[in-house]
Structure formats: C-alpha cells, structure tokens
Amino acid sequence: MTAPVSRIIKIGGFEEVKAVFIGGDYPVVIQTMWKDRLSFANLENEAGEALARRINGLAAMGCGLLRFAVPAMADAEILGELASRVSMPLCADIHFDYKIALRCLDFPVAKLRINPGNIGRRNRVAAVVSKAAAKGVPIRIGVNAGSLPAPLREAVDNRSLDRAEALVKAALDELAVFDELGFTNTAVSMKASGIADTIKANRLFAERSSVPLHIGVTEAGPLVSGTVRNTAALLPLLAEGIGDTIRVSLSDSPENEVIAGREILNAEELGKHGAVIVSCPRCGRNGFDTIAFTERWKTRLYGLDKDCVIAIMGCAVNGPGEARHADLGITGAGNSLMIFRHGKVIRTLPVKSDAEADKAFEEELNKL
Ligand code: SF4
C-alpha cells in the first residue's frame, strides 16, 4: 500500500511568527497545549519574560505549534498580545462562541481550532472562514468522540454507527461545509480516548481525504499511561504514513508532552534527533540520584541543538562502561561524582550537593 500524501498547509509566517508547514513530505510537527488559563498579569514584567522563556524552551525542545484554550473574549485579548511577542506559532482553541474566533484573527494568531460539534450554525462558520481566508490562517476541524454533533452521537449510542465511522463522518461533513465556502486551508483531527477508535478513524479518513491530519489519543491519562496509549496508537499510523502533526495529550506538563512526541517520532525515525538521554533506572548500588538529576536536566538536554548522547548513571561500577557510546556522562562514585566521555572518566570531584553536581555537569556540557 502506498502511503497517503496529504496536502500542505502553512501555519504562521507573518509578522514575527515563524512559518511551519504540515502535510506533504514535511516532517511531522510536534505540538502541545498550554495547561493554564492566562491573565494579563502573566504577560507583565518578569512573569512575561518567564512565560516567553518557557515557550522558547518548548520550541528548542522541538515543539512546532502551541495551542491555547480561549474560553472567553478576554482570553482572546491575552492570547493576541502573547502571539505578538513570541515566534512560536500559537493556535487558538475555540468552542461555542464564533465571535471569539473572529477576535483572535485580529492578532498574529497562527491557527484556529474549532469544534464542529458546538460552533453553531453555518453563517457563524462562514464568518470565521471568511476572515481566516483573508488572513491566510488555517483552521483545524477538531472532532472529539465526546462532543460529536447530536445526530451522530445518537447513532453511536444506539449502535447504528461505529464510533470511528462517526468521527470520520463528522469531520467530512464539516469539511464539506468549508469546501462549499471555498475554504481549503484546513486540517482535521478525530480524537477518541480509545486506541482502536483512534487508529481506525484516522485510517478511514486518510483513505477518503487528503486533508492533513493532526493525530493523537485524547484524555489519554497521566504521564506513563498516556505515553503508552499514544505510542500504541500513533506508531502504527505513522508507520503507514498517516499523521502530519501529533499531540501526545497527557495529564502532565507541555514539556513532557513534547518529549513523548519526540520519542515517538524518533522510534519511527521521523523526528529531529538532538540529545538522546540514556539514564539508568537507579538501584540499591547507586551513589547518585539519577531520577532527580534527570528530572532537573531533561528540559535543558532535550533543548540542545546538537545530536548527542547524554548518559546519567547511578554508580561507577557500571556507569561509564555501560554508557561507552555517550558523548557526555555523569555517574555517582561513593561520595564523589565522575564525569565521562565515551566511557573514559575525564573528571572526578567530591560532591556534597545537587548544586555542585549541576555546576560541574554544566561546565562540561558547555564544552560539548
Ligand atoms: S548504573 Fe549502577 S545504580 Fe544504576 S542501575 Fe546500574 S548498577 Fe544500579
């Protein structure tokens, strides 16, 4: 079977916003979603600088698109202001009120996501589509199993329609409305919390349409279970060439969603490489808390703009030897720390605190 080829859409590329392409032969884009509601106070002074730093950090880790819920008109004003301050393309996620979508389009917001299950009548969609077309802003039609349009929901409830088929029908019905309005700058997602439904819906859609697909399992759970469920659903789809952008939805931080997305793409050899972290699970022999160190350093390491292997090992007995291939490694050794390259110890130092370990590691990391 030949892999489906989706059409290409451009996100951003205006004012200071970076251009990101999805579809065609472009690399699969990782995206995530901001977890908190912002206020104008989040944009002021040091808070605003910290927010911009965190968003830039997500970009360095490989996130290409960042979505924000926009539940009320005031949130559109805040997102609009933020969109003019960062180069990361920002996507406004809008349910129910089409006027919020219209307001977002007054700012350099790079993409809209609307839910056909609740955005309302055709004239409202037409108003949003017309303004988005004028500004060159793509729209994702985001269908969720939990908020299907009423007739489809009833058909699923009375078992006259399979849930995956209902997701596809909801997406195609809405796309037909967009097509009639002459708007083709669209992407589609069909999200369910079940792995089988997610795979089936996306396979069916890819057979019937070339509109680019945003894929992921929704409400997938906390870090471990959510990562496993997304991996189980996304790997078979990506292996078949289905999926132009992914979001690993987790009850966890955006950073961990991006890391999970990156590892899934790397497993399919589709992602940018950057740093690969090799870290030991820690055991009773450890002289160094690899779990805490990895947690402290993972954002920085995944943000490195360099292909490298970083090892974080618990003890000197096995650490350097087991991680011979590492470009840089750190391991505990009794009350000391060893830093090594390619299995050879290059530095040994007594360490009494996390701060000392971090400082020594940072000095060597900066030399990489
Ligand atoms: S490197 Fe040492 S501490 Fe880590 S799992 Fe192996 S033996 Fe245990």
Side-chain angles (χ1 to χ4, degrees), residues 280-283 285-286 313-315 318-319 322:
C280 91
R282 206 178 72 193
C283 73
R285 205 180 295 147
N286 88 87
M313 306 299 281
C315 71
N318 293 319
E322 279 177 8

Side-chain angles (χ1 to χ4, degrees), residues 155-185:
V156 172
D157 287 346
N158 68 28
R159 294 173 191 263
S160 60
L161 194 62
D162 173 89
R163 182 178 282 107
E165 286 278 6
L167 286 163
V168 175
K169 180 156 175 36
L172 291 174
D173 287 352
E174 193 65 12
L175 272 175
V177 174
F178 277 57
D179 281 347
E180 277 171 31
L181 294 166
F183 189 88
T184 56
N185 199 8

Side-chain angles (χ1 to χ4, degrees), residues 179-361:
D179 281 347
E180 277 171 31
L181 294 166
F183 189 88
T184 56
N185 199 8
T186 43
V188 155
S189 63
M190 294 158 297
K191 302 262 191 100
S193 55
I195 296 164
D197 285 336
T198 303
I199 294 173
K200 185 173 176 185
N202 284 290
R203 275 185 183 149
L204 287 173
F205 185 90
E207 281 170 18
R208 297 175 194 174
S209 172
S210 61
V211 170
L213 274 171
H214 162 135
I215 59 175
V217 177
T218 194
E219 291 127 22
L223 182 60
V224 176
S225 47
T227 303
V228 171
R229 285 179 204 155
N230 269 284
T231 305
L234 298 190
L235 280 186
L237 289 170
L238 293 167
E240 292 165 28
I242 298 171
D244 303 288
T245 174
I246 63 170
R247 190 240 172 148
V248 178
S249 162
L250 300 173
S251 305
D252 210 294
S253 66
E255 285 79 5
N256 278 342
E257 290 194 359
V258 173
I259 291 169
R262 227 172 105 162
E263 295 292 346
I264 289 170
L265 293 186
N266 280 343
E268 265 313 315
E269 300 193 346
L270 289 169
K272 84 162 203 174
H273 288 282
V276 172
I277 299 177
V278 175
S279 60
C280 91
R282 206 178 72 193
C283 73
R285 205 180 295 147
N286 88 87
F288 180 51
D289 187 351
T290 54
I291 297 173
F293 187 87
T294 306
E295 185 59 30
R296 283 202 306 282
W297 277 87
K298 71 179 181 200
T299 303
R300 168 85 186 275
L301 294 176
Y302 275 105
L304 290 176
D305 187 20
K306 182 185 257 301
D307 289 357
C308 56
V309 176
I310 306 291
I312 301 165
M313 306 299 281
C315 71
V317 179
N318 293 319
E322 279 177 8
R324 250 183 218 105
H325 54 298
D327 296 289
L328 183 67
I330 184 165
T331 187
N335 292 327
S336 299
L337 264 185
M338 290 173 173
I339 295 179
F340 58 94
R341 276 182 209 281
H342 304 292
K344 291 209 172 58
V345 176
I346 54 167
R347 190 165 165 181
T348 304
L349 63 161
V351 167
K352 298 183 190 66
S353 70
D354 289 347
E356 285 173 300
D358 289 349
K359 182 168 176 291
F361 184 72

